[in-house]
Amino acid sequence: MNLDKAFFLLFASVGAVAAFAPAGPAARSVASRAPAAAFLPKVRVAISLSSEVEEAAEAPVEAEEASEEAAAAPAEPAFETSIYIGNVAFDAVESDIRAAFAEHGTVQKVQMPLNRDTGRSRGFAFVTMSNAEEHAAAIDAVNESDIAGRTVYVSESLPKEKVAQNKKKYTERKQRNQGSKIYVGNLNFETTTEDLTAAFAAYGEVKDCFLPVDYDGNPRGFGFIQMEEENAVAAIEGLNGSELDGRTLNVNKSLPKGQKSAPKQIKLYVGNLSWGTEEGALRELFEEYGKVVDCYIPTDRETGQHRGFAFVTMDPDDALRAADETDGYELDGRILRVNEAQPKGSGRSNNYNSYNDGYDGGDAYDEAGDDSWGNDAY
């Protein structure tokens, strides 16, 4: 369009100049007699048309240069720094996280890793906002707020390189402070980390104490202690079979994942108990067949009433004899059902031996490959 206009103006300019240019002697004679001013308008027209021709010819070039400059300008990079949200409720869903952060800007992405077995949250999530200002505002506003019934802790996500660096430092520190990890089974559900630490502190410095809980925050009936090797050996020898908060402890060295220790005692399941049967009477019955290492009657946490079954732990020979003699025995008007308690998930349990009292039948910790104590292997 501009090029056509340029040619048109060029031809018009040439025509205008030719109109007042003298063609021969006669023309030169007439021109010499005419006033000089008579030629000025035509010159002005020629100059004006020439300028328009130049401007029209330059316009496409300028437009092309502007287009090239715009294409060469780098596009602003998308904001990709994510936010880490910890202590997320296991029942929380992605929409809960999105709603909390949407109040402080545009949420570009929400990631909530799920447990493969349960399909529930693993307790943390990641959020990406649209820019740095919203990113900072969201962290300040949401940190230590309530999402789905739990207080969440929010911070900027570390880069992968920083995470790898921190993991390396943790591994090196753990190797420097490496001691022995001790499994403590048959804990009272009311026992605290302070109680357990105090019991083991009599044998040396307790470097760590961990009591696993279930998804509802309830204790799972076992724990872990970390001590120096020499102190750990003394603690296992001194505390295994001792009593803490009314329960006889099972204490031994924690074993790697998949490895089970040979049982030193056998735990018997005693079912169909009368509601009036007390621990003393049950212990007295089984002591006729040997030493009773532990006698435990589970109770309902809300009512305090026992649940109609019990566990008795004895040495292997005594336990087998007791199971044979007491299965079918009448106690307090009820016929007892007695057999060896089966590990959780063993597939050998029957309809009156399906209770799991907080560990999987062995006294060895099923340790994860990354040596983390926060797994749910139990």
Side-chain angles (χ1 to χ4, degrees):
M1 186 77 176
N2 289 332
L3 189 60
D4 293 341
K5 182 178 179 182
F7 280 120
F8 173 77
L9 293 175
L10 179 61
F11 288 132
S13 174
V14 172
V17 172
F20 67 83
R28 284 195 296 272
S29 176
V30 174
S32 63
R33 291 193 300 269
F39 294 97
L40 291 178
K42 294 181 180 180
V43 172
R44 290 194 191 99
V45 170
I47 295 173
S48 175
L49 290 174
S50 177
S51 297
E52 289 185 17
V53 170
E54 291 176 357
E55 290 175 359
E58 290 175 358
V61 176
E62 292 176 354
E64 184 176 351
E65 290 177 353
S67 177
E68 290 177 355
E69 290 177 1
E76 186 176 347
F79 188 76
E80 295 181 349
T81 305
S82 62
I83 298 172
Y84 172 82
I85 307 100
N87 201 41
V88 175
F90 295 113
D91 292 328
V93 294
E94 187 176 300
S95 59
D96 296 330
I97 303 297
R98 183 177 293 276
F101 282 83
E103 298 178 7
H104 310 286
T106 302
V107 177
Q108 293 192 107
K109 182 168 61 175
V110 176
Q111 293 176 292
M112 179 184 287
L114 301 179
N115 184 298
R116 293 181 181 179
D117 297 328
T118 65
R120 303 168 76 188
S121 164
R122 292 173 58 189
F124 60 95
F126 299 93
V127 168
T128 304
M129 305 298 287
S130 63
N131 56 55
E133 291 75 16
E134 294 177 356
H135 174 90
I139 291 176
D140 290 339
V142 183
N143 185 39
E144 296 188 7
S145 65
D146 184 280
I147 297 180
R150 291 186 72 174
T151 300
V152 296
Y153 299 97
V154 182
S155 61
E156 183 170 298
S157 241
L158 294 176
K160 291 182 179 180
E161 298 78 15
K162 184 66 175 177
V163 173
Q165 183 180 359
N166 288 350
K167 186 174 182 180
K168 182 179 179 181
K169 289 181 179 178
Y170 168 77
T171 302
E172 292 174 351
R173 184 173 66 251
K174 184 179 67 175
Q175 289 174 347
R176 288 194 302 269
N177 300 328
Q178 188 69 39
S180 288
K181 191 179 293 184
I182 303 170
Y183 170 86
V184 187
N186 202 38
L187 287 176
N188 188 311
F189 291 115
E190 303 300 325
T191 298
T192 65
T193 55
E194 290 78 13
D195 298 332
L196 193 58
T197 299
F200 279 82
Y203 298 89
E205 179 189 359
V206 175
K207 295 186 175 183
D208 197 10
C209 178
F210 172 57
L211 298 179
V213 296
D214 61 20
Y215 281 113
D216 297 321
N218 299 315
R220 300 176 66 182
F222 60 94
F224 302 97
I225 293 286
Q226 186 161 349
M227 307 177 72
E228 292 290 349
E229 177 68 25
E230 184 178 347
N231 297 336
V233 171
I236 291 172
E237 184 177 344
L239 292 176
N240 185 41
S242 66
E243 187 172 299
L244 178 63
D245 295 335
R247 299 291 296 275
T248 302
L249 301 182
N250 296 320
V251 183
N252 57 36
K253 191 170 182 178
S254 176
L255 298 178
K257 182 177 181 180
Q259 184 176 344
K260 300 295 182 181
S261 60
K264 296 179 181 179
Q265 292 93 26
I266 290 179
K267 179 178 290 188
L268 299 177
Y269 169 87
V270 185
N272 201 38
L273 283 180
S274 168
W275 300 114
T277 298
E278 297 181 354
E279 181 183 323
L282 189 63
R283 180 183 289 271
E284 183 178 350
L285 170 63
F286 280 84
E287 282 179 343
E288 295 180 10
Y289 307 96
K291 179 184 176 181
V292 174
V293 177
D294 184 42
C295 180
Y296 170 51
I297 303 179
T299 58
D300 187 283
R301 293 180 182 178
E302 296 182 358
T303 66
Q305 174 66 46
H306 78 65
R307 299 169 63 185
F309 58 91
F311 295 96
V312 175
T313 304
M314 305 178 72
D315 289 333
D317 292 340
D318 297 338
L320 294 175
R321 179 166 169 258
D324 185 55
E325 296 288 338
T326 59
D327 185 37
Y329 182 87
E330 183 177 338
L331 179 64
D332 295 333
R334 301 292 292 273
I335 302 300
L336 300 183
R337 298 286 182 259
V338 183
N339 68 352
E340 184 178 350
Q342 302 299 330
K344 180 181 179 182
S346 67
R348 295 183 292 157
S349 60
N350 51 43
N351 62 350
Y352 58 90
N353 183 9
S354 57
Y355 173 74
N356 178 269
D357 66 335
Y359 70 100
D360 67 356
D363 291 331
Y365 171 48
D366 194 7
E367 201 171 313
D370 61 356
D371 201 29
S372 169
W373 289 11
N375 67 70
D376 291 321
Y378 278 82

